[in-house]
Amino acid sequence: MNIVVVDDDNIIRMGLAKIVEKLSDDYKVSASFQNGALALEYLKKNGQDIDLVITDIKMPLMTGVELIEASISELEKPPLFIVLSGY
């Protein structure tokens, strides 16, 4: 399963990626981004290979909710989303 992690807090983003990959050998964090805008650009180019996006809600430039909405409307096959947030 290819996973993308999106969070504006670098420590949380890196920690979450490490935790996810330790859960199973089948889980691979393909990329991580500090905001939804960067993640959306990646998904537009590589979305067919991404199964899951774990995203924060409150981020600069594009929030997690905006990322989900844009992915649903702009991608042919949007990935599944999990929202984790301290917001």
Side-chain angles (χ1 to χ4, degrees):
M1 175 178 280
N2 289 320
I3 301 168
V4 170
V5 176
V6 188
D7 197 303
D8 59 325
D9 186 306
N10 189 44
I11 293 172
I12 292 174
R13 191 172 62 247
M14 289 177 9
L16 190 54
K18 285 183 182 183
I19 289 169
V20 166
E21 287 191 336
K22 285 184 179 184
L23 289 173
S24 172
D25 290 338
D26 295 332
Y27 298 164
K28 178 181 182 259
V29 175
S30 301
S32 64
F33 301 98
Q34 67 251 18
N35 63 61
L38 293 172
L40 182 60
E41 288 306 311
Y42 179 82
L43 290 174
K44 286 180 180 179
K45 295 175 185 169
N46 305 289
Q48 69 279 0
D49 298 325
I50 303 302
D51 303 300
L52 176 69
V53 175
I54 302 172
T55 185
D56 188 15
I57 290 178
K58 189 174 181 182
M59 297 177 289
L61 300 179
M62 179 182 278
T63 68
V65 173
E66 292 169 333
L67 170 61
I68 294 168
E69 290 172 342
S71 295
I72 290 169
S73 66
E74 296 180 31
L75 301 177
E76 186 175 319
K77 183 185 168 220
L80 295 174
F81 285 87
I82 293 177
V83 178
L84 296 177
S85 185
Y87 179 63

